[in-house]
Amino acid sequence: MMMKLAGALLLMFLVVHGVECQLQVGFYSGSCGLAEFVVKTAVRQAFINDRGVAAGLLRMHFHDCFVRGCDGSVLIDSTSSNTAEKDSPPNNPSLRGFEVIDAAKSRLEGICGGVVSCADILAFAARDSVELSGRLGYDVPSGRRDGTTSLSSEASSNLPPPTSNVGQLTQIFANKGLSQAEMVTLSGGHTIGRSHCSSVAPRLYNFNGTAAYATALKQQCPQGNSNANLVVPMDAISPAVLDEGYYVDVFSNRGMFTSDQTLMTNAATAAQVGQNAGNRMLWSAKFAAAMVKMGQIGVLTGSSGEIRANCRVVNS
């Protein structure tokens, strides 16, 4: 039932808006028919070893699309003369899952070299992560090409920090062509994965209540700790399951970040939080449609960009 509802909403979205920028479902059916299967296999193998990789790949796709569009620029390594997106403060050390993209790309280059873009591999991997962690599948329009520029400064200026308020979040998403409702919907991705204590601290140590959850978090994230790798689960109950738990937590004042709990400070966004908290199927369908729309931000198609042979390095 959930899959059917997601499919219906997604179809309605595509009919109304069109699959823009020459992206299409099944883009590789004639040139590399195994493309999506190869990516799914790589993601599944990684997920078996570490279920947390699903959250990493989902977040990586989001961070890719919000900087220069969905062009795989987040995958490019830094060089002696340039600090790339992946090494910017919003991404390092928190982004993970690069080795999954590398594995899929390596296999695809052996099957159909120079055909499947890194940007598409990342979009497929994010979808597969959603399916594995939330039993929610959807079709991904593809045909993206890879960008050739990756700048740390652009990640810092385009990605919403965890201290954002609802007005700032609304504007950041609007800048990418996404509505406030879609911002609330995509925020639900925070129901899986983990957070570094440095991102939690601003809200945690300005929390005025005496909630047991806050007390427990303070034990896991001591004030003033200098361990940059200290992490806590985003959802203490089901950290590896993509579900409505995020909205239940926010509704109950247990949002991990300021940017999560701020959704309760606006009447419209608070209403959506309550609706999503009580209707997993509806949120799942909206999430699938919003992921497809996000995946079309600023894409390169046709003769723009390139198809990288190695996702970490721009072609010479």
Side-chain angles (χ1 to χ4, degrees), residues 68-148:
R68 287 186 169 265
C70 311
D71 67 346
S73 56
V74 74
L75 303 169
I76 297 175
D77 282 347
S78 295
T79 65
S80 58
S81 59
N82 178 65
T83 303
E85 293 171 33
K86 64 167 54 172
D87 290 318
S88 66
N91 290 334
N92 186 6
S94 58
L95 278 195
R96 55 179 172 154
F98 293 103
E99 71 285 352
V100 182
I101 305 301
D102 291 339
K105 180 62 172 175
S106 177
R107 292 169 194 166
L108 286 170
E109 285 299 297
I111 298 171
C112 40
V115 174
V116 184
S117 70
C118 299
D120 275 342
I121 292 173
L122 181 51
F124 293 148
R127 181 270 311 278
D128 298 334
S129 296
V130 169
E131 184 173 349
L132 286 167
S133 56
R135 301 187 300 280
L136 170 64
Y138 55 92
D139 289 329
V140 174
S142 51
R144 300 167 187 79
R145 287 173 64 84
D146 297 323
T148 57

Side-chain angles (χ1 to χ4, degrees), residues 23 38 60 85 88 119 126-127 129 164 186 188 202 211 227 243 258 296:
L23 299 185
V38 169
M60 191 187 300
E85 293 171 33
S88 66
R127 181 270 311 278
S129 296
S164 301
L186 290 169
N227 183 355
D243 58 18
T258 300
Q296 298 189 37

Side-chain angles (χ1 to χ4, degrees), residues 6-316:
L9 282 185
L10 182 55
L11 179 61
M12 180 172 64
F13 166 80
L14 295 177
V15 169
V16 173
H17 295 277
V19 181
E20 301 172 356
C21 306
Q22 302 171 38
L23 299 185
Q24 62 185 57
V25 174
F27 179 83
Y28 296 107
S29 59
S31 57
C32 189
L34 290 175
E36 296 190 45
F37 174 77
V38 169
V39 176
K40 188 182 294 289
T41 299
V43 174
R44 184 182 294 113
Q45 289 174 339
F47 184 77
I48 290 171
N49 294 327
D50 175 11
R51 297 184 66 177
V53 77
L57 292 168
L58 177 60
R59 184 166 179 260
M60 191 187 300
H61 182 45
F62 172 84
H63 282 216
D64 183 41
C65 291
F66 265 56
V67 183
R68 287 186 169 265
C70 311
D71 67 346
S73 56
V74 74
L75 303 169
I76 297 175
D77 282 347
S78 295
T79 65
S80 58
S81 59
N82 178 65
T83 303
E85 293 171 33
K86 64 167 54 172
D87 290 318
S88 66
N91 290 334
N92 186 6
S94 58
L95 278 195
R96 55 179 172 154
F98 293 103
E99 71 285 352
V100 182
I101 305 301
D102 291 339
K105 180 62 172 175
S106 177
R107 292 169 194 166
L108 286 170
E109 285 299 297
I111 298 171
C112 40
V115 174
V116 184
S117 70
C118 299
D120 275 342
I121 292 173
L122 181 51
F124 293 148
R127 181 270 311 278
D128 298 334
S129 296
V130 169
E131 184 173 349
L132 286 167
S133 56
R135 301 187 300 280
L136 170 64
Y138 55 92
D139 289 329
V140 174
S142 51
R144 300 167 187 79
R145 287 173 64 84
D146 297 323
T148 57
T149 301
S150 183
L151 302 172
S152 170
S153 58
E154 292 186 345
S156 297
S157 61
N158 281 278
L159 294 170
T163 54
S164 301
N165 62 41
V166 70
Q168 293 167 331
L169 288 172
T170 300
Q171 186 58 59
I172 290 170
F173 277 71
N175 292 343
K176 306 302 177 183
L178 297 168
S179 68
Q180 185 182 73
E182 288 163 337
M183 177 269 289
V184 177
T185 297
L186 290 169
S187 293
H190 281 177
T191 192
I192 56 174
R194 63 192 186 187
S195 169
H196 284 73
C197 286
S198 57
S199 297
V200 178
R203 168 162 157 75
L204 181 60
Y205 287 99
N206 285 287
F207 184 77
N208 296 321
T210 57
Y213 184 46
T215 301
L217 281 178
K218 287 178 179 179
Q219 293 175 347
Q220 298 174 71
C221 295
Q223 190 168 24
N225 92 87
S226 58
N227 183 355
N229 295 315
L230 201 59
V231 297
V232 290
M234 292 294 293
D235 180 345
I237 304 300
S238 55
V241 180
L242 192 73
D243 58 18
E244 74 282 10
Y246 167 82
Y247 299 101
V248 174
D249 283 343
V250 170
F251 195 79
S252 303
N253 199 30
R254 293 195 301 267
M256 186 68 74
F257 300 148
T258 300
S259 58
D260 295 323
Q261 200 57 48
T262 190
L263 299 182
M264 294 302 294
T265 66
N266 172 283
T269 57
Q272 292 169 60
V273 168
Q275 181 185 60
N276 293 337
N279 193 330
R280 177 182 179 182
M281 289 176 60
L282 176 61
W283 170 72
S284 296
K286 293 191 297 183
F287 187 75
M291 285 292 292
V292 171
K293 185 176 179 181
M294 184 188 77
Q296 298 189 37
I297 296 174
V299 297
L300 302 173
T301 60
S303 60
S304 300
E306 64 182 20
I307 303 298
R308 269 181 243 140
N310 177 342
C311 292
R312 294 175 178 266
V313 183
V314 174
N315 294 344
S316 56

